[in-house]
Amino acid sequence: MEQDDEIGCVLGSHCKISRCNSAYLTATENLQGPNRNAMLCEALRSYSSCTRKTARTCRGNLAYHSAVYGIEDLMIQNNCSKEGPTSPPRPPAPVPNQPGFASPDICDYEKNFVHKHRQSPAYQHCAAFGDPHIRTFSDEFHTCRVEGSWPLLDNHYLFVQATSSSIVEGSSATGISKNMKECIEEKIYQAEADNLPAAFIDGSVNGGERPGGSSLTIHELIPGQHVALQAVYIGTTIAVRHAARHLSFSIQTPEEVALSFTDEQDLQLCVFSCPLKQRVSRSTCCPQGGNITREVAHRLCKEKLPVDDVYFQSCVFDVMASGDANLTQAAYGALEDAKAFHPDAKKLHIFQTDRSSGSQSSSLLLLFLLVMPAFEEHF
């Protein structure tokens, strides 16, 4: 596991996929005329070449894998051959305040942030998975008894709602919308138990026909198990996973986006975790009366999670609670997302004494509803 930590640190420090994304967006700005398709194919081949050069340092980065899948889809949609000419190198960037200097694309959050602040944005990570467990933006970790609907995020950019239920059957939904007219059309992504689609509910895989439509994309990384939604226009990547009839949610988003809320928006699991009375102890045995012993659950979880951290503890809790050995995948997937999303590899693992209430949990995380409401300021 020390080797994994080292790899995660290297990936976080040296992955340059954002440069490939920016180069592609620049190359495809204002494409028009009879040669539009040929120029688009050249840009896609250049984009593909750029991602191949970053493959070694980006193999654990979800944005990288999203870009690779997106390129393949776009090349198929536009009948582009993999061999052929590529876009010429971009000219050197103009110096600010000099003739020819232009503001960056408003639909690329990171590019805009660097242009405005002369530094990259600070990112934060939150996750919800299992029965359910919450990792907040501030790296607090709790297991919660939160039946009903609870907001994971509720701010000027994002509204993410999680619904839990004590029954196994249920539906789950993740929706995305953003009324930023210059960039994308309103989109909703919805999933149900045992159904994790690879498209928005209107059948599209991007933000629509508007100039910034490509700044919102959805990619199926593992059919039926792992979907990624990438919202470049707010610098946010969301992963939704399905394991043993549970859905999990992970997000990497800029600090500016995560913390843009008012005093009235004071109930957010990703920010404040669940209320004290709703927290349960992971050491509590068998919340659902599962038929797997602690020793068996310990062995099953150790195969995927060799470090005895909160992900391992959550895995043992979930497997005992559900009696389903396949639920080891929920904690494992959450840890993999954290490796890709968390900005500080040293904080990847959380080791803490479980001092929460001893009350038993009776909830399974089954539903997500995510909305990106209107926000008119362009960073």
Side-chain angles (χ1 to χ4, degrees):
M1 188 56 63
E2 291 181 359
Q3 182 180 3
D4 290 342
D5 288 343
E6 182 179 352
I7 291 173
C9 183
V10 171
L11 293 177
S13 301
H14 300 290
C15 180
K16 305 297 182 184
I17 189 62
S18 61
R19 293 185 180 180
C20 299
N21 296 340
S22 296
Y24 171 72
L25 290 174
T26 299
T28 54
E29 284 178 347
N30 302 318
L31 287 183
Q32 54 187 340
N35 295 324
R36 179 187 181 281
N37 186 260
M39 291 187 291
L40 177 59
C41 290
E42 290 178 5
L44 286 169
R45 285 190 286 267
S46 294
Y47 195 7
S48 179
S49 175
C50 184
T51 59
R52 287 196 298 272
K53 293 176 182 177
T54 67
R56 184 179 65 84
T57 56
C58 291
R59 62 181 180 273
N61 188 297
L62 187 55
Y64 161 78
H65 291 287
S66 296
V68 171
Y69 280 94
I71 293 168
E72 292 179 359
D73 289 342
L74 287 171
M75 292 189 77
I76 293 173
Q77 292 173 21
N78 292 279
N79 296 319
C80 299
S81 62
K82 294 185 178 180
E83 302 296 330
T86 57
S87 298
R90 291 184 299 169
V95 178
N97 301 322
Q98 295 296 319
F101 183 79
S103 297
D105 187 344
I106 64 169
C107 298
D108 188 322
Y109 178 92
E110 183 172 350
K111 190 174 180 181
N112 257 284
F113 191 96
V114 171
H115 170 74
K116 181 178 179 180
H117 301 284
R118 297 296 182 258
Q119 63 181 15
S120 297
Y123 287 94
Q124 295 193 343
H125 167 58
C126 169
F129 66 96
D131 199 24
H133 314 287
I134 308 295
R135 179 171 186 156
T136 70
F137 288 131
S138 57
D139 296 317
E140 292 185 20
F141 196 98
H142 295 108
T143 297
C144 302
R145 185 181 62 249
V146 288
E147 289 192 39
S149 297
W150 293 71
L152 285 166
L153 286 171
D154 181 11
N155 60 43
H156 300 318
Y157 301 86
L158 295 166
F159 177 74
V160 184
Q161 179 174 285
T163 296
S164 300
S165 172
S166 60
I167 58 175
V168 175
E169 288 74 18
S171 65
S172 63
T174 298
I176 282 195
S177 67
K178 174 83 160 81
N179 187 20
M180 190 173 181
K181 296 180 180 180
E182 296 86 344
C183 292
I184 69 165
E185 300 170 5
E186 181 173 288
K187 295 289 178 178
I188 297 176
Y189 174 76
Q190 181 171 329
E192 298 180 355
D194 298 323
N195 180 25
L196 197 63
F200 296 106
I201 61 172
D202 63 0
S204 66
V205 293
N206 57 39
E209 298 297 325
R210 295 179 184 174
S214 61
S215 66
L216 174 62
T217 52
I218 178 171
H219 308 280
E220 186 177 52
L221 303 183
I222 302 177
Q225 298 181 37
H226 189 186
V227 168
L229 298 94
Q230 191 165 17
V232 175
Y233 63 103
I234 56 169
T236 297
T237 303
I238 297 164
V240 182
R241 294 177 183 260
H242 179 269
R245 298 191 62 81
H246 285 60
L247 287 181
S248 64
F249 166 90
S250 294
I251 186 171
Q252 180 191 62
T253 193
E255 185 177 89
E256 179 181 27
V257 174
L259 302 181
S260 61
F261 56 86
T262 65
D263 292 341
E264 288 74 23
Q265 296 164 305
D266 58 354
L267 182 58
Q268 303 181 59
L269 300 186
C270 274
V271 180
F272 306 107
S273 191
C274 49
L276 288 173
K277 293 183 179 180
Q278 298 295 325
R279 299 176 189 177
V280 301
S281 172
R282 287 183 298 280
S283 62
T284 301
C285 178
C286 309
Q288 289 283 347
N291 57 5
I292 295 181
T293 66
R294 179 173 294 277
E295 289 73 20
V296 172
H298 192 282
R299 175 176 56 79
L300 292 170
C301 292
K302 208 68 176 178
E303 293 174 0
K304 287 185 172 292
L305 301 156
V307 177
D308 190 356
D309 62 357
V310 293
Y311 292 100
F312 172 79
Q313 296 168 16
S314 298
C315 177
V316 173
F317 181 94
D318 290 344
V319 171
M320 293 179 66
S322 65
D324 188 346
N326 293 323
L327 204 51
T328 58
Q329 194 65 33
Y332 175 76
L335 179 58
E336 290 299 295
D337 287 338
K339 289 178 181 178
F341 286 170
H342 201 287
D344 188 348
K346 294 180 180 179
K347 296 182 179 180
L348 175 64
H349 299 286
I350 299 176
F351 304 93
Q352 66 182 40
T353 302
D354 190 354
R355 298 178 179 175
S356 300
S357 165
S359 301
Q360 291 189 340
S361 171
S362 60
S363 59
L364 301 178
L365 196 59
L366 291 176
L367 185 147
F368 289 110
L369 176 64
L370 188 153
V371 178
M372 296 180 183
F375 191 79
E376 296 302 327
E377 182 181 346
H378 303 314
F379 316 106

